[in-house]
C-alpha cells in the first residue's frame, strides 16, 4: 500500500529535487569553465614560431611541430630553423610524388615514418623496397631509381659527409643515425617548399 503524501510534503520533495539538479548544473558550469580556461592556458604554453608565413606550433604533449600548408596538416620533430644548416641537393617537389607510389630503403624507422606520415596524403601508397644491384636485408620488391620514387635513408661512415642528394628519382638521406630524423625533416621542408 502506498503512503498518502500531503500537498506540502509533495512540494517540499519537488523543491528539494530542483535544488539538487540546480546544484549539479552550477557545479558542471563552474568546472567546465575552469577546464576550458585551463586547456587554453596549456595552449599558451606551446612554443610557436613563424617561418616564411607558416605558423609552427610545438605540441607540448607530443613534442612535434604542427603546421598547415594549403589547409593540409603536417607534423615534424624539428622546425625549419633547426634544419637551416643542412644543404640539400634535390630538385623534386611534392608534384613529383603526387598520386605515385613511394618506396623506402633504410633501417631508421623514425626517419622513414616521419616522411611517410607527412607525404601519405599525396602518394598512392608507401612500402619498403630493395634497390636494384644492391644487397637487401628484407624480402621487398626490387625498384629502380629511373622509374620509381625511392627515398634511401642510410648511415654514413665516420669520415663521410652528412648530406641529402638526388640521383634520378631517388633521394639519398645520408647521415649518421642520430641525425637522420633531422635530415628527413629537412627533406620534407624542401619537398613542401618551406625551405
Amino acid at each position: 500500500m502506498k503512503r498518502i503524501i500531503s500537498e506540502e510534503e509533495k512540494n517540499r520533495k519537488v523543491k528539494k529535487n530542483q535544488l539538487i539538479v540546480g546544484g549539479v548544473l552550477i557545479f558542471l558550469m563552474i568546472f567546465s569553465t575552469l577546464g576550458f580556461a585551463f586547456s587554453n592556458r596549456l595552449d599558451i604554453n606551446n612554443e610557436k614560431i613563424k617561418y616564411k608565413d607558416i605558423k609552427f606550433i610545438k605540441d607540448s604533449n607530443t613534442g612535434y611541430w604542427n603546421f598547415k600548408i594549403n589547409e593540409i596538416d603536417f607534423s615534424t620533430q624539428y622546425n625549419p630553423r633547426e634544419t637551416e644548416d643542412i644543404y640539400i641537393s634535390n630538385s623534386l617537389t611534392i608534384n613529383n610524388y603526387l598520386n605515385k607510389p613511394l618506396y623506402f630503403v633504410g633501417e631508421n624507422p623514425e626517419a622513414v615514418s616521419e616522411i611517410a606520415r607527412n607525404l601519405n596524403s599525396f602518394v598512392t601508397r608507401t612500402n619498403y623496397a630493395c634497390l636494384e644491384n644492391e644487397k637487401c636485408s628484407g624480402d621487398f620488391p626490387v625498384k629502380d631509381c629511373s622509374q620509381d620514387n625511392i627515398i634511401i635513408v642510410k648511415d654514413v661512415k665516420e669520415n663521410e659527409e652528412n648530406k641529402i642528394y638526388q640521383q634520378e628519382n631517388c633521394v639519398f638521406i645520408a647521415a649518421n643515425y642520430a641525425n637522420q630524423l633531422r635530415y628527413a625533416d629537412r627533406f620534407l621542408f624542401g619537398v613542401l617548399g618551406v625551405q
Side-chain angles (χ1 to χ4, degrees):
M1 222 182 220
K2 210 173 184 188
R3 194 174 140 229
I4 300 175
I5 301 173
S6 71
E7 192 68 36
E8 189 178 313
E9 268 187 77
K10 200 187 268 186
N11 287 339
R12 206 174 331 136
K13 211 174 195 182
V14 167
K15 202 174 245 183
K16 182 180 171 185
N17 287 342
Q18 288 174 339
L19 284 173
I20 291 172
V21 169
V24 169
L25 288 174
I26 289 171
F27 176 81
L28 284 173
M29 286 177 16
I30 290 171
F31 280 97
S32 65
T33 304
L34 287 174
F36 181 75
F38 184 69
S39 71
N40 278 348
R41 188 169 179 217
L42 288 178
D43 187 43
I44 290 169
N45 291 334
N46 286 341
E47 191 177 342
K48 298 174 186 176
I49 68 164
K50 195 166 190 175
Y51 191 90
K52 293 190 178 177
D53 293 329
I54 300 171
K55 189 188 300 182
F56 289 79
I57 302 171
K58 188 169 189 175
D59 185 325
S60 58
N61 295 323
T62 65
Y64 281 100
W65 288 93
N66 299 310
F67 59 100
K68 283 186 181 205
I69 298 175
N70 297 328
E71 298 304 313
I72 300 172
D73 293 319
F74 298 96
S75 64
T76 55
Q77 190 71 42
Y78 295 91
N79 70 55
R81 288 190 184 142
E82 296 171 310
T83 65
E84 284 178 325
D85 63 323
I86 300 171
Y87 174 74
I88 183 170
S89 172
N90 173 27
S91 63
L92 298 176
T93 66
I94 197 64
N95 291 330
N96 296 98
Y97 298 99
L98 200 57
N99 298 320
K100 296 176 184 171
L102 177 60
Y103 298 98
F104 293 97
V105 175
E107 296 186 15
N108 186 325
E110 290 89 11
V112 169
S113 173
E114 184 102 339
I115 296 168
R117 182 182 69 249
N118 283 288
L119 297 184
N120 195 41
S121 59
F122 299 99
V123 299
T124 56
R125 67 180 181 280
T126 59
N127 197 8
Y128 277 92
C130 294
L131 280 180
E132 198 171 58
N133 301 324
E134 288 198 20
K135 192 171 85 172
C136 190
S137 61
D139 186 25
F140 304 116
V142 177
K143 297 297 174 183
D144 181 343
C145 290
S146 64
Q147 297 175 0
D148 302 297
N149 288 325
I150 307 169
I151 297 172
I152 300 97
V153 180
K154 67 180 199 169
D155 206 10
V156 294
K157 293 182 176 61
E158 199 172 307
N159 300 344
E160 287 183 315
E161 178 187 4
N162 291 322
K163 59 184 174 179
I164 302 171
Y165 61 97
Q166 177 186 343
Q167 290 178 351
E168 296 178 317
N169 293 324
C170 284
V171 173
F172 292 82
I173 298 173
N176 59 30
Y177 194 85
N179 276 328
Q180 287 176 354
L181 185 55
R182 192 166 79 93
Y183 274 67
D185 283 347
R186 173 60 181 96
F187 163 74
L188 283 168
F189 296 140
V191 166
L192 296 171
V194 176
Q195 281 185 319

